[in-house]
Amino acid sequence: MPPLVALIIDWILTAFWPLIGAVGSRHYSGLLFSTGGLLVGFLCLLPWLVQKGRWRALFSRRTAPNLFMMGLFSGGASAIFITALNYTTPANAAIMAQVEVLYSALLCAMLLKEKNPATQSLASLLVVAGTGMIMFNDLSTPRWKGDLMILVTPWMFQLSHIAAKRLPKGLDPITISGGRVFYGILAMAPICVYSVVWGDARWSWEPQALAILGVQGLMMSCLNFILWYMAIFGMDLAKATAIMLSYPALTVVFSWALGHEQISGMQIAGLVITMTGASWVSRL
């Protein structure tokens, strides 16, 4: 599958993530929902990891450290993102997460030596302006706490993606996805145990809850990862991130159509500005 096609399909899947997380947060704490999703995703990937001995790569000295970093940072970021949905809305979360384009440009320049033209910096300022509008508008509501939590997560996702780019050549997207999920489970497991024993962990065995957990695992911790790695190993990471971060447009439409929220004028304005910045970056 061509990298751009994989990216477009993944773009559509990702647009559902804030909505899936919002439903999941009604039944589970963010940490247990994200980690439970990783477990479901790992079970989905397991037959392909066993096939052709792919699982051996998960424990190789050449791959294990970067796979662990991927699992640690992405697992932590997902838990924070889903927890934030207890305070803010799916549309807000999707729009605020677009600040990732800034982290992407900065970290790729520092760690991967990818060049970022001056015009990319100007485009990135539009992303900051759009997310700033949303944040300022929410200061007088409980949403600001969730918005702030969302802003913390993008750099963690970017470190995970950079670790993926540092993996040895020749690893296929299934192996990389399996490693990310496996080490994500290992990294989050001690924190999950702590939250169950001493924290405020929530878990549900209701059919509705298990169904949304299954959707999270299959779509976001399996298919999403495979498609993403198919994309970024065939194109520039900063550009792939910029294109991906236009997904809030779909999230806003889905959130409104499904009755999750009434979209405000400030959200639309912030979305237009951030989308303009992300689109500009993607064309550079």
Side-chain angles (χ1 to χ4, degrees), residues 74-187:
S74 66
S78 296
I80 295 171
F81 188 98
I82 294 172
T83 301
L85 290 168
N86 287 302
Y87 306 100
T88 192
T89 68
N92 263 29
I95 297 169
M96 298 300 292
Q98 289 213 55
V99 75
E100 185 170 351
V101 73
L102 305 181
Y103 292 110
S104 175
L106 179 61
L107 292 174
C108 286
M110 292 173 58
L111 302 178
L112 296 180
K113 308 304 180 184
E114 293 181 358
K115 295 182 179 180
N116 297 313
T119 49
Q120 185 161 314
S121 298
L122 294 175
S124 297
L125 287 176
L126 289 178
V127 178
V128 174
T131 55
M133 286 177 63
I134 301 293
M135 187 72 185
F136 181 79
N137 186 58
D138 286 346
L139 287 177
S140 60
T141 74
R143 291 182 179 182
W144 72 268
K145 183 176 181 180
D147 293 345
L148 194 59
M149 292 173 69
I150 296 294
L151 290 178
V152 174
T153 63
W155 70 269
M156 301 173 73
F157 282 121
Q158 277 303 307
L159 286 180
S160 173
H161 302 332
I162 289 173
K165 295 280 273 189
R166 288 181 164 179
L167 288 168
K169 302 293 184 182
L171 291 178
D172 62 89
I174 292 177
T175 303
I176 298 170
S177 300
R180 173 176 171 175
V181 170
F182 176 74
Y183 284 106
I185 295 169
L186 290 186

Side-chain angles (χ1 to χ4, degrees), residues 11-12 14-19 81 90-100 127 131 134 150 241-256 261 263 267-268 270-272 274-275 278:
W11 174 72
I12 296 171
T14 303
F16 283 101
W17 186 37
L19 299 170
F81 188 98
N92 263 29
I95 297 169
M96 298 300 292
Q98 289 213 55
V99 75
E100 185 170 351
V127 178
T131 55
I134 301 293
I150 296 294
T241 300
I243 295 171
M244 174 60 75
L245 288 179
S246 63
Y247 79 85
L250 273 182
T251 301
V252 168
V253 172
F254 293 154
S255 187
W256 172 78
E261 59 186 302
I263 307 302
Q267 285 175 306
I268 296 297
L271 174 64
V272 170
T274 52
M275 286 281 291

Side-chain angles (χ1 to χ4, degrees), residues 155-270:
W155 70 269
M156 301 173 73
F157 282 121
Q158 277 303 307
L159 286 180
S160 173
H161 302 332
I162 289 173
K165 295 280 273 189
R166 288 181 164 179
L167 288 168
K169 302 293 184 182
L171 291 178
D172 62 89
I174 292 177
T175 303
I176 298 170
S177 300
R180 173 176 171 175
V181 170
F182 176 74
Y183 284 106
I185 295 169
L186 290 186
M188 294 298 106
I191 308 175
C192 287
V193 171
Y194 179 88
S195 71
V196 169
V197 177
W198 292 287
D200 57 351
R202 290 183 293 113
W203 182 271
S204 175
W205 293 105
E206 294 180 2
Q208 276 184 306
L210 295 176
I212 196 64
L213 183 65
V215 171
Q216 164 74 8
L218 177 60
M219 289 182 58
M220 305 315 305
S221 298
C222 181
L223 294 177
N224 172 47
F225 290 172
I226 293 172
L227 291 167
W228 174 246
Y229 292 122
M230 289 176 68
I232 68 170
F233 280 96
M235 60 192 301
D236 182 86
L237 175 57
K239 185 166 289 188
T241 300
I243 295 171
M244 174 60 75
L245 288 179
S246 63
Y247 79 85
L250 273 182
T251 301
V252 168
V253 172
F254 293 154
S255 187
W256 172 78
L258 295 172
H260 276 272
E261 59 186 302
Q262 294 296 318
I263 307 302
S264 70
M266 187 64 74
Q267 285 175 306
I268 296 297

